[in-house]
Each structure stands twice: as C-alpha cells, then as structure tokens.
Amino acid sequence: MTTENKLKVQLVKSPIGTKESHRATVRGLGLRGVNSTSELEDTPAVRGMINKISYMVKIL
C-alpha cells in the first residue's frame, strides 16, 4: 500500500459576497461554514483549488 499525503484545510473567511466560482470551489473542497475543516489528498488539482481561494482558507 502506498501512503498518500493529506492536507487539512480550514475555512477562515465566509464565502458570502465572493465570486460564484470561488463559492463553488469552497464547496468542492468539502467546506461548509466558517471554521469547518476538511482532510484532502495532496494532488495538483486540490492544490490549485486551495491556491484559488487562498485568502479564505488556512492549511493546518
């Protein structure tokens, strides 16, 4: 079995008032309300999504 690296991401800013595509990215990462966290696989796609909304999330 291979061990996959995981990223833990926390939403620290509300997506209210942001672009629709940014709100969709937040939902795509599995984040709901402020301070919710999600553990995701470390892939280029996930990294790109985090980079897109970097002003709203914190990597734990």
Side-chain angles (χ1 to χ4, degrees):
M1 287 181 14
T2 59
T3 57
E4 292 292 324
N5 290 338
K6 298 281 186 176
L7 292 173
K8 196 166 187 181
V9 182
Q10 181 179 18
L11 186 64
V12 294
K13 183 182 180 297
S14 174
I16 295 172
T18 61
K19 292 182 176 181
E20 180 61 39
S21 63
H22 290 204
R23 289 194 296 266
T25 302
V26 169
R27 296 295 295 137
L29 288 173
L31 300 169
R32 290 179 164 266
V34 176
N35 293 327
S36 67
T37 60
S38 183
E39 193 167 327
L40 307 158
E41 290 185 20
D42 187 6
T43 63
V46 170
R47 289 269 179 167
M49 292 170 78
I50 292 170
N51 188 46
K52 182 176 182 176
I53 59 167
S54 62
Y55 64 97
M56 283 195 281
V57 296
K58 177 171 66 172
I59 307 284
L60 302 175

